[in-house]
């Protein structure tokens, strides 16, 4: 169709050439020269065309076949790095691709065959570390991730902190163009630093910057070894781009890969050996003493169906409290009441004055100064810096040997009282769950129990409960195996739930288990791109949305402060105080998931529909696909 107002045609090639000339002139001309350009003499000078014809050199550069880069001589240094990585049997490598580690990326997929590790494409570095976090809590093996210089590590930092607080090993390798004399200007320089590990040093166990290939071999094996020695934790390696790209040079020393030998964990007895049966050992200790157990939920530590499982209030009558790997012993034996008389927290004790306190905790070996994950200081009567699980076998034997015959009847009677208390507490929980059963939006208890009804006959794993659903899964689901509950994020950083769920589901996929997450709305919106990673790599997962359309923890904080100050919280037309709602517009999470390759349905507001749609979603996940249900829920 002919143009109504024809204009001179300017080709892309001419435009670029002209822009290049103009840009060069601007860059070189000082202010005085610019001023002179506006004089009468310059006005009378012949006007130059705004777009010059391309020179022969420019034309060839744009139209000719690109020249091949010069071939490197010998073996690429990054190939040797892949050889090192393969000795440690790291199965997957979730990462967002970037130029600063392009050489090792190429070696991993071409030289290494994209196996052990397999590169998993992530849309965000935080998601990559979160996936590694969740994976370890199922598989018991660490993953590595690659981060791009400063900005990639900045993205990943919160997830690294979560792993640090949760005592989870992750191996973070950050690409960095360290040599200022050879790195390109512009973006590569912005994304480089003298010490990129400084970004995460305060919340990693160890870090290093290898300056040679042999140095890398030693550092990587050392990093793996340190991360996998209790107390576990993330480690970081800064990897120079030049070291990756340059060929191996024979400097008179033959490269070798150090052999990895696991470190025996610190323990209370040298004969104890670490195992994966910590739950079974804890049951043995509890039953030997008929002692009540308070599982604080960092992991699946004690069966929820066991009669000795008790709530936190059980400490009030205790004569002796043994804290095993407690991250916060102070809060176990003390209460802190927010917004006291003068707006400051008030401390009260939970225990009797003569209660004896014993601590077995390897985290004391890891404490650093800056971040306060070590919590408030609590004086104890016996403090043992040792790994609790490794110490349990010796402790159990010592306890059994120390119990005199005349105490066994009293211990058995204590167990009978615990059975009765457990049954009564279980019945109260069921009655509480029945309240508002038919409410719309859906009650959190019904959300949880309708889900349970559809997965109870499967080998299931609750990979994340990022939304606060009043702890109903732990109160009512028969959690007995270590993978039934993987715990929270550690550092309580929002955005953990979705990527950790995908990482844990990846591990469960390889083990033939069914993965279920209770996914909160605010958490998902931090890193929704991980949904695409799950679909791309065929990771089956059922995500049931706890969509309460708000940051409800903050709703309560603002409301409480408003009450304390005798003010009415400004709602601004939403269900919660301004700045705490996720509505108007309402996010259609089912459409978001569908756009990234998931099977999804919603919004589900009628509780009568829940059972049918969850059953349908379970069938989809069993076929190998991820599925999401967008359920509108009550706040808690």
């Amino acid at each position: 169709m002919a143009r109504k107002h024809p204009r001179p045609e300017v080709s892309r090639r001419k435009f670029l050439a002209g822009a290049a000339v103009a840009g060069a002139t601007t860059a070189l001309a000082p202010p005085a020269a610019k001023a002179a350009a506006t004089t009468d003499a310059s006005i009378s000078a012949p006007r130059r065309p705004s777009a010059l014809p391309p020179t022969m050199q420019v034309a060839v550069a744009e139209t000719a076949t690109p020249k091949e880069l010069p071939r490197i001589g010998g073996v690429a240094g990054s190939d040797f790095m892949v050889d090192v990585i393969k000795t440690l049997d790291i199965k997957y490598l979730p990462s967002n691709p970037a130029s600063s580690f392009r050489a090792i990326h190429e070696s991993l997929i071409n030289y290494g065959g994209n196996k052990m590790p397999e590169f998993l494409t992530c849309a965000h570095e935080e998601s990559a570390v979160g996936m590694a976090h969740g994976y370890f809590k199922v598989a018991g093996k660490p993953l590595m991730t690659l981060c791009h210089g400063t900005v990639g590590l900045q993205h990943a930092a919160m997830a690294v902190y979560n792993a640090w607080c949760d005592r989870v090993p992750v191996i973070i390798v950050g690409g960095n163009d360290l040599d200022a004399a050879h790195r390109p200007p512009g973006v590569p320089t912005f994304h480089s630093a003298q010490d990129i590990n400084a970004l995460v040093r305060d919340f990693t166990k160890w870090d290093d910057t290898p300056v040679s290939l042999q140095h890398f071999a030693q550092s990587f094996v050392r990093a793996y070894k340190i991360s996998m020695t209790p107390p576990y934790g993330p480690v970081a390696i800064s990897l120079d781009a030049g070291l990756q790209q340059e060929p191996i040079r024979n400097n008179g020393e033959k490269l070798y890969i150090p052999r990895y030998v696991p470190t025996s964990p610190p323990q209370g007895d040298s004969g104890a050996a670490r195992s994966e049966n910590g739950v079974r050992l804890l049951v043995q200790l509890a039953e030997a003493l008929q002692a009540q157990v308070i599982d604080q939920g960092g992991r699946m530590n004690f069966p929820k169906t066991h009669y000795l499982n008790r709530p936190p209030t059980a400490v009030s009558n205790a004569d002796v409290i043994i804290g095993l790997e407690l991250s916060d012993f102070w809060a176990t034996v003390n209460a802190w009441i927010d917004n006291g008389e003068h707006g400051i927290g008030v401390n009260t004790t939970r225990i009797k004055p003569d209660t004896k306190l014993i601590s077995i905790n390897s985290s004391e070996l890891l404490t650093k100064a800056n971040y306060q994950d070590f919590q408030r200081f609590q004086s104890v009567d016996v403090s043992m810096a040792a790994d609790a699980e490794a110490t349990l076998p010796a402790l159990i034997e010592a306890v059994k040997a120390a119990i005199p015959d005349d105490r066994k009847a009293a211990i058995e009677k204590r167990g009978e009282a615990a059975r009765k208390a457990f049954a009564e507490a279980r019945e109260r929980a069921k009655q509480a769950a029945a309240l508002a059963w038919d409410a719309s939006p859906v009650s959190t208890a019904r959300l949880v129990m309708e889900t349970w009804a559809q997965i109870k006959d499967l080998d299931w794993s609750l990979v994340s409960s990022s939304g606060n659903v009043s702890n109903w899964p732990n109160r009512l689901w028969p959690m007995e195996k270590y993978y039934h509950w993987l715990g929270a994020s550690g550092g309580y950083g929002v955005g953990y739930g979705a990527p950790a769920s995908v990482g844990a589901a990846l591990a469960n996929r390889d083990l033939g288990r069914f993965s279920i997450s209770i996914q909160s709305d605010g958490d998902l919106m931090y890193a929704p791109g991980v949904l695409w990673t799950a679909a791309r790599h065929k990771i089956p997962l059922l995500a049931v949305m706890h969509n309460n359309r708000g940051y409800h923890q903050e709703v309560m904080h603002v409301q409480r402060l408003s009450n304390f100050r005798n003010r009415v919280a400004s709602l601004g037309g939403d269900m919660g105080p301004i700045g705490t709602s996720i509505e108007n517009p309402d996010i259609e999470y089912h459409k978001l998931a569908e756009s990234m390759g998931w099977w999804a349905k919603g919004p589900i507001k009628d509780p009568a529909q829940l059972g049918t749609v969850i059953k349908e979603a379970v069938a989809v996940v069993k076929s190998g696909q991820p599925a999401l249900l967008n359920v509108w829920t009550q706040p808690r």
Side-chain angles (χ1 to χ4, degrees), residues 110-164:
N110 292 330
Y111 172 73
N114 197 33
K115 291 181 179 179
M116 301 299 287
E118 176 187 351
F119 198 106
L120 304 181
T121 310
C122 295
H124 196 283
E125 289 86 356
E126 183 180 318
S127 295
V129 176
M131 284 180 62
H133 188 158
Y135 180 91
F136 175 82
K137 293 207 278 190
V138 170
K141 295 181 178 179
L143 298 184
M144 67 174 289
T145 186
L146 293 162
C147 288
H148 175 47
T150 54
V151 292
L153 206 51
Q154 286 167 342
H155 275 310
M158 192 209 73
V160 177
Y161 184 65
N162 275 338
W164 165 262

Side-chain angles (χ1 to χ4, degrees), residues 126-138 162 166 462-466 486-489 495-508 515 517 519 523 530 541:
E126 183 180 318
S127 295
V129 176
M131 284 180 62
H133 188 158
Y135 180 91
F136 175 82
K137 293 207 278 190
V138 170
N162 275 338
D166 206 22
L462 182 58
V463 290
S464 178
S465 182
S466 58
L486 302 185
S489 64
Y496 161 86
S501 294
V502 173
L506 174 66
N508 280 327
S515 298
S517 74
Q519 176 63 56
D523 177 274
V530 78
L541 166 66

Side-chain angles (χ1 to χ4, degrees), residues 233-257:
V235 291
I237 291 178
S238 173
L239 191 55
D240 179 50
L243 187 63
Q244 302 171 52
Q245 294 176 188
E246 292 176 0
I248 297 174
R249 292 186 173 88
N250 186 356
N251 295 321
E253 179 184 12
K254 185 178 180 180
L255 293 176
Y256 70 93
I257 302 173

Side-chain angles (χ1 to χ4, degrees), residues 454-501:
Q454 300 303 324
I455 67 168
K456 62 182 181 180
D457 296 326
L458 305 174
D459 187 15
W460 57 272
S461 176
L462 182 58
V463 290
S464 178
S465 182
S466 58
N468 190 327
V469 288
S470 298
N471 206 32
W472 287 117
N474 283 279
R475 292 163 71 179
L476 292 175
W477 289 16
M479 296 183 178
E480 298 175 334
K481 300 177 181 178
Y482 78 92
Y483 55 83
H484 281 169
W485 166 249
L486 302 185
S489 64
Y492 299 96
V494 181
Y496 161 86
S501 294

Side-chain angles (χ1 to χ4, degrees), residues 261-313:
V261 178
T263 302
S264 297
Q267 50 202 283
D269 178 79
S270 60
R274 183 165 184 83
S275 66
E276 302 218 352
N277 61 358
V279 175
R280 180 181 63 83
L281 291 172
L282 192 53
V283 169
Q284 288 183 22
L285 177 63
E287 290 180 348
L289 294 166
Q290 291 299 313
Q292 299 176 17
V293 177
I294 301 168
D295 187 346
Q296 297 188 336
R299 296 286 195 282
M300 173 61 207
N301 301 303
F302 196 76
K304 299 298 181 285
T305 55
H306 199 286
Y307 65 92
L308 290 173
N309 184 57
R310 302 294 291 139
T313 53

Side-chain angles (χ1 to χ4, degrees), residues 233-496:
V235 291
I237 291 178
S238 173
L239 191 55
D240 179 50
L243 187 63
Q244 302 171 52
Q245 294 176 188
E246 292 176 0
I248 297 174
R249 292 186 173 88
N250 186 356
N251 295 321
E253 179 184 12
K254 185 178 180 180
L255 293 176
Y256 70 93
I257 302 173
R259 184 168 60 94
Y260 167 65
V261 178
T263 302
S264 297
Q267 50 202 283
D269 178 79
S270 60
R274 183 165 184 83
S275 66
E276 302 218 352
N277 61 358
V279 175
R280 180 181 63 83
L281 291 172
L282 192 53
V283 169
Q284 288 183 22
L285 177 63
E287 290 180 348
L289 294 166
Q290 291 299 313
Q292 299 176 17
V293 177
I294 301 168
D295 187 346
Q296 297 188 336
R299 296 286 195 282
M300 173 61 207
N301 301 303
F302 196 76
K304 299 298 181 285
T305 55
H306 199 286
Y307 65 92
L308 290 173
N309 184 57
R310 302 294 291 139
T313 53
V315 299
S316 60
N317 295 319
D319 297 315
V320 178
I321 297 172
I322 303 176
L324 301 177
E325 301 290 356
L326 290 187
S327 61
D328 193 353
F329 209 134
W330 187 93
T332 301
V333 298
N334 294 279
W336 187 78
I337 302 171
D338 195 7
N339 299 344
E341 182 180 354
H342 301 291
I344 300 172
V346 177
N347 302 329
T348 61
T349 183
R350 299 179 189 267
I351 60 175
K352 298 183 295 186
D354 56 348
T355 300
K356 300 297 183 184
L357 306 181
I358 302 171
S359 174
I360 304 176
N361 191 345
S362 60
S363 293
E364 293 183 14
L365 304 171
L366 195 61
T367 302
K368 291 190 178 183
N370 192 10
Y371 290 87
Q372 303 296 295
D373 61 292
F374 46 80
Q375 302 292 323
R376 293 177 66 158
F377 182 78
Q378 175 61 48
S379 297
V380 299
D381 298 284
V382 178
S383 179
M384 186 181 300
D387 180 74
E389 185 176 333
T391 306
L392 277 174
L395 181 60
I396 291 168
E397 292 304 315
V399 165
K400 288 180 177 179
I403 297 175
D405 291 339
D406 59 358
R407 286 289 299 159
K408 292 181 180 179
I411 289 174
E412 192 61 37
K413 187 176 180 180
R414 188 161 62 208
E416 292 173 3
R419 282 185 174 90
K420 181 180 178 181
F422 176 81
E424 292 173 350
R426 184 83 172 176
E427 188 58 34
R428 288 194 299 270
K430 290 180 179 178
Q431 293 174 5
L435 297 175
W437 187 256
D438 295 319
S440 179
V442 179
S443 73
T444 54
R446 185 157 187 179
L447 174 81
V448 167
M449 295 314 294
E450 290 278 13
T451 301
W452 163 247
Q454 300 303 324
I455 67 168
K456 62 182 181 180
D457 296 326
L458 305 174
D459 187 15
W460 57 272
S461 176
L462 182 58
V463 290
S464 178
S465 182
S466 58
N468 190 327
V469 288
S470 298
N471 206 32
W472 287 117
N474 283 279
R475 292 163 71 179
L476 292 175
W477 289 16
M479 296 183 178
E480 298 175 334
K481 300 177 181 178
Y482 78 92
Y483 55 83
H484 281 169
W485 166 249
L486 302 185
S489 64
Y492 299 96
V494 181
Y496 161 86

Side-chain angles (χ1 to χ4, degrees), residues 26 35 38 77 103 107 151 196 207 240 245 302 330 360 379 431 446 515 517 521 536 545 568 572 599 614 623:
T26 302
T38 60
S107 290
V151 292
I196 63 171
D207 69 83
D240 179 50
Q245 294 176 188
F302 196 76
W330 187 93
I360 304 176
S379 297
Q431 293 174 5
R446 185 157 187 179
S515 298
S517 74
D521 45 2
R536 171 69 177 83
M545 291 293 300
V568 176
W599 181 97
I614 293 175
S623 74

